[in-house]
Structure formats: C-alpha cells, structure tokens
Amino acid sequence: MAGSVPVARSLQDIYTDDALASQTKRWAALVSRFESIYGHAPEFVARSPGRVNIIGEHIDYSLYAVLPMAITADVLLAVSVDSFLSTKSTYRIQIANVQDAKFPAHEFDIPHDAVEIDATVHEWTNYFKSGLRGALELLRKKHGADFKPKGMRILMDGTVPAGGGLSSSAAFVSASALAVMTANGEHVVDKTELTELAIVSERAVGVNSGGMDQSASVFSERGSALFVSFTPTLKARPVHFPKTNPELTFLIAQSFVTADKFVTGPIHYNLRVVECSLAAAYLNAVLNPPGTRLPADAAPLGISLHGFHETYFALTEHATKASSSKPVPEQLRELISLTENALTKQEGYTREEIAAVLNITVDELNSQFTSRFPVRADRFKLRQRALHVFSEALRVLQFMELLEDPAHHPEAGSDTSAYNAKLGTLLNETQDSCRDVYECSCPEIDDLVTIARKAGSYGSRLTGAGWGGCSVHLVPADKVAAVREAWEREYYSKLGLTDEQKEAAVVVSKPGSGSALYLVKEGNLS
Ligand code: NG1
C-alpha cells in the first residue's frame, strides 16, 4: 500500500455516497470563507481523516500490529502559498479556523531554521506547528540544510471531535504535514514518509503517541479496514470483512467524557507508555541472559515489549538450536505465562525496585524513562501492562485469522451468527482487559458497552486511548435501531445534551479513505 498521497479529482474520490451532499456544501463553505478572510481563493486543500480502532488497543507504542479504519470525519486545511510573506530570515504562517470563537486565528513569523513549539501550553496551532516542523525536517533532508520554507495562509475545518478517541490530533498533524510538503513544492508526497514524520511530529506536542492513528489517517482505503504493523518497518494493508448474514455494522458511540491526553498524560497515556517500556526493560533483565541489551527501536522511549519479545525468542531459539521459530500466537501465549511468573507484584513496582533489577540508579531510571514527558506515579504496574499488551497482540492475530483465513469463513448465504459472535467476543475481551488490566476505561464507557451488549451488539469496547472518548460496537444490521434506542433511553437522555451533541452522539461508520490532496482551480471545486 505504499505509494503517494492521491490527488483527488472530485469529492467522490474522497467520500462515500451517503456523505457527498453534506461534504460538498462544507467544502464550498470552506473555500468561500477562505476567500473572505484572505481576499483570494485557496490553491489546494489537504485532507486527513480521523479513525476508529477496531482492535489492538494500547499496543501500537509497544510496536504490535493493530487494526483501525478511517472514518468520514476529517481535518481540511485550505491553503494558499505566498513567498512575499517571507523575509531573509523568517517566513509567515497565517492560520485561521472556521470555528474561530473556539480556535482564534494566529499569525507567526517563524525563523527559517527552527519551529518553536511550547508543549506546556495547550494551544490548537501547536498541532499545525508539529506537522510543520516534521515536514521541514524531511524537506531539509531532501534539499539541504538551508532550505527556505514558503509562507502560507491556511483555513482549517475539523470535524473529528477533540478528545473523543477518534484521533483528531493525528488527523490535524497529518493534514498539516501534507499541506506544508505541498506548499513547498513537493508534488508527490510519499505515504510512508508522511506517516513516519507525522508520528514523530506528534510527540512534539506533549504526548508519547504510538503510530496507529497517523497510519490509519494516511493509508486507509475506502471500504476496508487497515492492518498496520510497525516492525521491521511501518507497513499497512487493507483488510476486508467477509460477507456475513446478518450483515455487520460498526457503530461509534460517544461517551461525552472528554479525555484530553495532553492534560492527563502524566497519570494516563504517557504513564502507560512509561510502564510498558519499563516492563520491557524489566522482563529483559530477569528473563534474558545477563548483559542482554534490548534493540533500540521506533517506540516512543526507544525500547519496546515487542523488542523484548523478539530478543527473547531469538536468544532461546539460538540456545536450543531450534531449527524453526514458533508461530507468533504461541510465542505470545508463552510470554503471557512468563510474565505471570516473572512479574508477581499486583500492587506495582517502585522506582527503587525497578532500578535495582535493571542495575541502574533511580536517577538513571528517571532520565531514561520519565524525563521526556513527566509522569506521576509511586508504583508502576508492570505486570498488568505487559499482560494486557501480550494478550491484546494475540487477540489482533486471532481477529485477523477469523477475517482472512478461508477455513474460518462462514458458508456463503448461511446464517453467520456464530462467526459474527466470535469476532464480537474478541472485542469484548479487549474491553475487559482495557477496563480491568490496563485500567483505561471509565464508568461511562462501561455503561455504553453494557447497554449495547444487552440490546444485541456482538462486541463492544472503548476505542482509542480511553478514559472517556468513544466506544465502538459490532452490531448486526437488524439490531442497530434497538441499540441506538437503548442508549438514548438508558444513557444519552440523562446527559442533557444539546441538539448538536445528540446528532453527533452515535455514528454508523463505514470504512473511509485516507489522506488526499485536492487542487482548487481558480476557486473552483469541480
Ligand atoms: P487517541 O487518543 O484515540 O487518538 C491514542 C494514540 C494511539 C494509540 C491509542 C490507544 C495518539 C495520537 N494516539 O489514540 O497511538 O496508542 O491511543 O490504542 O497519541
């Protein structure tokens, strides 16, 4: 699926038929608003969607494969390029948002050689700047260190709810990097390069993010989910669901609990990244021969549970002179049982306890693991985090096997309820693990999940980082109405939602397409 970001010729290339009418109106409004703000038409629109994760939660930053899909909601950046906005040492970025009351317009004169981002301030344009910074690093690699960026005028329209678990930030950063590359004359933008730079860029905003969201945003293809693997290199390929009877529908339901990774990072997301990295180091210290070093990899803190996994089996297979490797599911089962025996402290491990096992000082531990982004914890739950990661990585493989191994496929035309239920059970197991072991659910998501299952969902779980945000549900088409009614009755009616919120609460999601560019000719969209 490598290749370059497509240049769309019509909105039909981007959206599914059911979304076309409303999107056409929205794009026209964006172009005309751009004209009224800046006095001329945009030259192009860079577009990147949000995503919903089907299965594989909180394992991308441990470098295990995941299965997300893009959704219709997206970030659009209408852009014009202006060299006159540049001086000898700076270039100017003017950026506005269609929701200008919430996201006020800004103007920056940025030095040619560095993009400052103050990650301590929660400011919407930081996401643009992080895409800018990443894109410029790539442009400098290609064109030399004295590359001079162009000035840009930008108007953004984002429809992915922020803090909703649908990855608004990755959509924004990916669209920004794509816009900057295009504005600076890159007519062909490589998808893998764009994704890799968006992953690294987003970490500049204060979150140790994995790579799932950016991959889903850039690589997705309409009509299919996306299998994303991170080792040995980033790869993404489309995955199709077999035909089922009853037909399967994905419903996305918001909890309306805002989970802001930036604000709660020290006790939630960033802490989990630290715990997983510490678990990798700890398991390496107690299960691999003394002195074994984990390979440096693309994980946020440079080592990962996947790196430990590979090192462990490479060393044991070498030691036993095994002629072939065990299948990965079997390896993961073995790792689960090894973890249960090696990491016995349910209450978690203190910094002192971990440092002693790693044979380093507490200061060294802090500088290696907790200095990039601050975390607040007295104990680190290494056992639970490693168990979730290995078991979730296994569930992704089991889900993929159900989807792709013809031996598991139901007979065409037959009732496939049993098959559907198997897919759903894996999603339910993910939710149980997220709630009880990884501790990233919340009571509101748990309620949505329980209500949906009672009303006929095969599988229901949180999607994205959790601690609020969205949930995803695998529902037979003939039960969609019943599930929606049950949520309305037992959950949404109690929240006092505005009409707009009611409208956005539940979305029937079809797999959408990934990033695209659209050239606007003389203010014309068609
Ligand atoms: P959200 O918060 O839903 O965008 C986050 C991470 C993902 C992944 C999931 C959990 C970012 C940008 N995204 O998703 O990489 O780790 O949590 O599976 O940090």
Side-chain angles (χ1 to χ4, degrees):
M1 277 192 76
S4 53
V5 174
V7 179
R9 271 187 295 267
S10 83
L11 295 190
Q12 263 159 324
D13 291 348
I14 300 177
Y15 298 108
T16 44
D17 289 347
D18 53 329
L20 260 185
S22 60
Q23 291 299 335
T24 306
K25 245 168 96 188
R26 171 178 170 233
W27 280 60
L30 177 71
V31 170
S32 89
R33 181 88 176 266
F34 188 101
E35 285 172 346
S36 67
I37 296 176
Y38 297 119
H40 58 264
E43 290 164 36
F44 65 87
V45 177
R47 182 254 174 193
S48 279
R51 63 96 190 94
V52 60
N53 187 18
I54 301 171
I55 193 160
E57 216 59 89
H58 282 281
I59 60 172
D60 58 344
Y61 49 83
S62 291
L63 302 188
Y64 283 102
V66 293
L67 187 72
M69 70 186 193
I71 54 174
T72 305
D74 57 12
V75 166
L76 304 180
L77 296 178
V79 178
S80 70
V81 185
D82 197 337
S83 311
F84 297 113
L85 293 175
S86 305
T87 68
K88 248 198 183 139
S89 54
T90 64
Y91 56 99
R92 182 172 298 175
I93 300 287
Q94 290 178 290
I95 182 164
N97 196 303
V98 295
Q99 295 182 59
D100 49 0
K102 203 162 160 200
F103 304 113
H106 285 286
E107 204 171 288
F108 305 104
D109 286 309
I110 302 178
H112 280 147
D113 55 347
V115 183
E116 284 293 318
I117 301 173
D118 184 355
T120 60
V121 183
H122 199 20
E123 158 58 44
W124 75 277
T125 52
N126 275 356
Y127 293 95
F128 174 78
K129 285 187 185 166
S130 73
L132 172 70
R133 178 145 97 185
L136 292 183
E137 270 164 29
L138 184 62
L139 288 166
R140 279 197 194 97
K141 258 191 230 147
K142 289 188 169 183
H143 303 294
D146 50 2
F147 178 82
K148 300 230 176 334
K150 297 266 195 310
M152 295 165 72
R153 294 189 173 109
I154 302 157
L155 179 62
M156 162 162 172
D157 181 5
T159 51
V160 191
L166 299 179
S167 170
S168 56
S169 56
F172 192 3
V173 173
S174 309
S176 302
L178 176 60
V180 173
M181 300 286 286
T182 310
N184 284 283
E186 296 294 302
H187 297 300
V188 176
V189 178
D190 181 74
K191 287 186 195 170
T192 307
E193 277 184 348
L194 176 64
T195 307
E196 282 171 346
L197 84 82
I199 295 170
V200 175
S201 303
E202 192 156 343
R203 293 184 187 151
V205 195
V207 176
N208 259 334
S209 75
M212 161 170 70
D213 303 352
Q214 299 82 355
S215 308
S217 190
V218 174
F219 281 102
S220 286
E221 286 184 5
R222 194 184 320 161
S224 52
L226 193 77
F227 182 69
V228 186
S229 51
F230 301 97
T231 57
T233 55
L234 175 71
K235 287 230 161 54
R237 67 175 175 84
V239 175
H240 294 275
F241 277 69
K243 249 198 154 1
T244 59
N245 172 29
E247 206 184 306
L248 292 172
T249 306
F250 282 105
L251 286 186
I252 303 173
Q254 291 213 36
S255 65
F256 291 103
V257 175
T258 304
D260 192 327
K261 279 203 291 328
F262 175 84
V263 177
T264 61
I267 53 164
H268 288 158
Y269 194 88
N270 288 340
L271 175 58
R272 292 295 179 274
V273 175
V274 168
E275 287 175 316
C276 287
S277 312
L278 285 171
Y282 193 104
L283 290 172
N284 177 56
V286 296
L287 293 174
N288 281 333
T292 305
R293 288 177 76 90
L294 289 182
D297 58 28
L301 297 175
I303 56 166
S304 65
L305 282 166
H306 187 273
F308 160 71
H309 174 161
E310 298 231 297
T311 310
Y312 177 79
F313 286 102
L315 292 174
T316 42
E317 278 159 15
H318 180 74
T320 56
K321 298 198 172 52
S323 55
S324 66
S325 298
K326 279 185 192 148
V328 179
E330 220 174 285
Q331 294 182 345
L332 285 165
R333 284 195 187 92
E334 190 173 328
L335 289 175
I336 290 169
S337 117
L338 285 167
T339 302
E340 279 166 348
N341 295 326
L343 287 164
T344 49
K345 285 189 169 220
Q346 298 277 358
E347 70 278 23
Y349 293 76
T350 62
R351 284 169 212 250
E352 288 72 18
E353 284 165 345
I354 301 168
V357 170
L358 302 190
N359 204 10
I360 57 177
T361 64
V362 169
D363 283 348
E364 285 166 340
L365 181 145
N366 285 336
S367 105
Q368 198 183 336
F369 294 94
T370 67
S371 62
R372 208 179 127 78
F373 294 118
V375 295
R376 287 198 302 277
D378 296 329
R379 286 177 181 276
F380 298 89
K381 293 196 175 173
L382 308 189
R383 171 188 172 89
Q384 292 87 334
R385 308 320 178 215
L387 286 176
H388 168 80
V389 171
F390 294 139
S391 69
E392 181 71 356
L394 180 57
R395 279 186 288 275
V396 172
L397 299 182
Q398 291 168 330
F399 200 89
M400 286 294 290
E401 195 181 321
L402 286 173
L403 293 184
E404 294 203 318
D405 183 345
H408 290 288
H409 286 178
E411 226 172 273
S414 64
D415 180 316
T416 67
S417 302
Y419 173 80
N420 298 357
K422 278 189 204 157
L423 291 171
T425 300
L426 289 168
L427 301 188
N428 288 335
E429 285 171 10
T430 293
Q431 173 62 18
D432 293 347
S433 184
C434 282
R435 187 192 55 226
D436 302 335
V437 186
Y438 214 68
E439 297 173 284
C440 61
S441 189
C442 66
E444 294 81 355
I445 292 275
D446 297 343
D447 281 353
L448 284 168
V449 159
T450 311
I451 297 166
R453 289 182 195 159
K454 265 197 320 211
S457 165
Y458 289 118
S460 290
R461 61 177 210 82
L462 66 84
T463 185
W467 296 288
C470 275
S471 53
V472 63
H473 309 262
L474 187 67
V475 180
D478 57 355
K479 294 276 172 56
V480 168
V483 172
R484 291 183 90 132
E485 276 159 29
W487 280 328
E488 175 52 30
R489 203 174 46 244
E490 296 174 44
Y491 186 82
Y492 292 122
S493 61
K494 299 179 181 153
L495 299 187
L497 300 177
T498 62
D499 286 348
E500 204 185 317
Q501 284 174 317
K502 277 186 198 151
E503 181 86 356
V506 180
V507 185
V508 179
S509 188
K510 297 219 174 81
S513 58
S515 299
L517 267 178
Y518 195 109
L519 306 180
V520 184
K521 293 189 194 88
E522 287 152 20
N524 233 324
L525 275 173
S526 52

